[in-house]
Amino acid sequence: QVQLVESGGGLVQAGDSLRLSCAASGRAVSTYNMGWFRQAPGKEREFVAAIRWSGGTVYNVDAVKGRFTISRDNAKNTVYLQMNSLKPEDTAVYICTSGRGVGLNMGDYDYWGQGTQVTVSS
């Protein structure tokens, strides 16, 4: 079992930056792939980015267009999402996920956090 706790969300203005963190705990968590999804009101949950336990990354290019960077610190069992040049359309609950697989679909992951709200004002 893996527990995920997100932090770092907040209210920012368009063009600002935020860094989200997700602290993982549980057995062998450093060997799990980790990622971020987001869900805006009235919309389906959307893949944002993922990082393999070895460090390889996958991005939803259409959603982040080079503005977001995912990274991890295995010593701290923490994954980060650096978000730059934020836009109002980035407003959503950002949810950390983890699992043995990695991909663009929710079914590729096994564990989910509660999410952290990011609101970008224009």
Side-chain angles (χ1 to χ4, degrees), residues 52-120:
R52 296 179 174 86
W53 67 269
S54 58
T57 56
V58 180
Y59 290 96
N60 180 341
V61 176
D62 290 340
V64 305
K65 297 187 187 296
R67 299 179 295 123
F68 294 4
T69 302
I70 190 170
S71 61
R72 67 188 295 164
D73 184 336
N74 285 341
K76 296 181 178 180
N77 290 334
T78 299
V79 64
Y80 304 98
L81 185 68
Q82 177 67 44
M83 305 186 294
N84 298 328
S85 302
L86 283 162
K87 304 175 181 180
E89 51 263 44
D90 294 317
T91 295
V93 176
Y94 283 72
I95 306 157
C96 180
T97 186
S98 180
R100 293 295 190 185
V102 64
L104 281 63
N105 301 307
M106 293 177 58
D108 294 321
Y109 303 91
D110 303 306
Y111 304 102
W112 297 87
Q114 294 298 310
T116 185
Q117 176 70 46
V118 172
T119 303
V120 185

Side-chain angles (χ1 to χ4, degrees), residues 41-55:
K43 294 188 177 181
E44 294 187 352
R45 194 169 292 189
E46 175 186 47
F47 171 77
V48 176
I51 185 166
R52 296 179 174 86
W53 67 269
S54 58

